[in-house]
Amino acid sequence: MNKKVTVVGAGFVGATAAQRIVEKELADVVLLDIVDGLAHGKALDMMQSAAVESFETSIVGTTDYAETEQSDVIVITAGIARKPGMSRDDLLKTNAGIVGSVVEQTASRSPNAIIIVVSNPLDAMTYLAWKTSGFHPSKVIGMAGVLDSSRYARFISEAVGCSIKDVRAMVLGGHGDTMVPVPAYSTVNGVPITELLSSDIIEQINHRTRHGGAEIVQYLKTGSAYYAPSSSAVAMVSSILLDSKRLLPVCAYATGQYGIDGLYCGVPAILGQSGVESIVTVPLSPADAEALKQSAHSVKSLTDALSI
Ligand code: APR
């Protein structure tokens, strides 16, 4: 029997993630949105590409949480984007209401699922999802580091002039301006980029990575990135469903690693069928360790603002 993935939110990120999951034949998908007909229409459209794309997995669209029962993975992309004049706190409160209600509706119907949160502000929403679900923290994970690292990898391959296939990049910390690209663990086929690029170029790339989401919003004007975010979420879904145990930077519940305790923040972790199987700790340079501490500090302020 196929695995089952529920994707909540049939907007740009959710629908594209759903499309990637069925096209890769990773699982059958239930796509759910609060807007009547939206998920249904998109799911029908995707199913009508199955003959051409040649996939045998299925997707249904719905507004009814009963259809999400016994999912193996739940991907949460529901939420609103920050609108002009809206403060970060306003966004936090609005999306907290949405993510909280989505978790209430899904967690009880799929008590053995792994939850992957994509909605922003990511680190705080993941913490909220964990608290609301009552799940073990290893089963609630946020998607940010895979995306930020994928952006970093792209910029590295451009700067070095090498194949993207040889680049491995690592970005830790919160999903925002304080994220921490780690050059020492970003390599071209094992060669750290510090051996290949000047510190000025590395700093330029780090800066572009930190503002990678904003750069795209500037062009799109009315929306935010969704191709790379959906790819990144699906990489996590895949590692969980296939039990690949990939080492990926994800937003996980830290219990003292890197000096971060009782907080969801971006750290390297092994992802397998039980979710976060371990957080991998590696030595960081004093500058990167300090930057990660500062990033965790800003994640904590946002998480504390949830008052839960
Ligand atoms: N239940 C289900 N779906 C909801 C709910 C809810 N309570 N509230 C909103 N939605 C749906 C909307 O109807 C919409 O279809 O969530 C979807 C969000 O889609 P988009 O507005 O297209 O946003 P998207 O670009 O997909 O981003 C979604 O991911 O990367 C993050 O910052 C981004 O938080 C945002 C999220």
Side-chain angles (χ1 to χ4, degrees):
M1 204 171 89
N2 289 344
K3 299 279 187 180
K4 178 172 176 179
V5 174
T6 287
V7 178
V8 185
F12 286 102
V13 177
T16 315
Q19 177 188 1
R20 294 189 194 285
I21 292 167
V22 286
E23 287 187 355
K24 288 174 190 277
E25 297 189 312
L26 283 173
D28 293 331
V29 172
V30 176
L31 182 62
L32 186 147
D33 200 283
I34 199 166
V35 175
D36 191 31
L38 180 70
H40 203 124
K42 289 192 180 186
L44 267 181
D45 191 8
M46 279 183 228
M47 278 314 288
Q48 291 165 15
S49 72
V52 183
E53 294 294 338
S54 189
F55 60 83
E56 293 179 322
T57 39
S58 70
I59 175 162
V60 293
T62 186
T63 53
D64 181 0
Y65 280 95
E67 296 199 44
T68 71
E69 265 173 24
Q70 301 305 330
S71 293
D72 297 289
V73 176
I74 297 162
V75 181
I76 301 178
T77 75
I80 60 155
R82 195 161 152 189
K83 300 198 173 107
M86 200 174 189
S87 74
R88 202 175 270 257
D89 277 358
D90 290 340
L91 178 74
L92 180 83
K93 296 214 164 75
T94 305
N95 279 356
I98 293 172
V99 170
S101 81
V102 168
V103 173
E104 273 168 21
Q105 303 265 20
T106 48
S108 55
R109 291 178 168 92
S110 299
N112 300 316
I114 310 283
I115 297 177
I116 298 175
V117 180
V118 180
S119 310
N120 277 314
L122 191 274
D123 307 274
M125 290 305 106
T126 310
Y127 185 94
L128 171 82
W130 165 59
K131 278 277 180 183
T132 311
S133 67
F135 285 8
H136 190 273
S138 60
K139 295 178 69 186
V140 181
I141 317 163
M143 187 294 291
V146 178
L147 168 63
D148 299 325
S149 303
S150 180
R151 287 181 172 145
Y152 197 30
R154 175 67 203 157
F155 302 147
I156 290 167
S157 88
E158 282 173 3
V160 173
C162 69
S163 165
I164 188 73
K165 291 185 181 177
D166 286 335
V167 182
R168 290 284 179 275
M170 189 181 282
V171 180
L172 304 178
H175 187 48
D177 303 349
T178 64
M179 71 178 72
V180 186
V182 187
Y185 295 126
S186 299
T187 75
V188 179
N189 232 345
V191 181
I193 60 167
T194 45
E195 302 293 329
L196 301 169
L197 298 170
S198 69
S199 50
D200 281 358
I201 298 283
I202 291 176
E203 192 34 54
Q204 280 172 29
I205 296 175
N206 291 356
H207 182 271
R208 192 172 176 199
T209 302
R210 284 189 207 102
H211 299 92
E215 183 180 356
I216 291 169
V217 168
Q218 263 182 356
Y219 285 111
L220 296 180
K221 297 184 181 73
T222 55
S224 51
Y226 56 99
Y227 290 113
S230 58
S231 291
S232 305
V234 173
M236 293 171 63
V237 170
S238 172
S239 192
I240 291 164
L241 290 181
L242 304 179
D243 196 26
S244 316
K245 305 196 192 296
R246 292 194 63 196
L247 170 59
L248 297 171
V250 299
C251 175
Y253 188 73
T255 51
Q257 298 89 345
Y258 299 99
I260 308 168
D261 200 5
L263 195 67
Y264 269 90
C265 193
V267 288
I270 301 283
L271 276 200
Q273 62 188 354
S274 48
V276 169
E277 303 203 338
S278 63
I279 291 176
V280 176
T281 49
V282 289
L284 295 176
S285 70
D288 288 343
E290 179 56 27
L292 184 53
K293 207 171 123 194
Q294 289 304 325
S295 186
H297 191 73
S298 73
V299 167
K300 184 164 179 0
S301 322
L302 213 54
T303 303
D304 285 348
L306 288 169
S307 311
I308 50 170

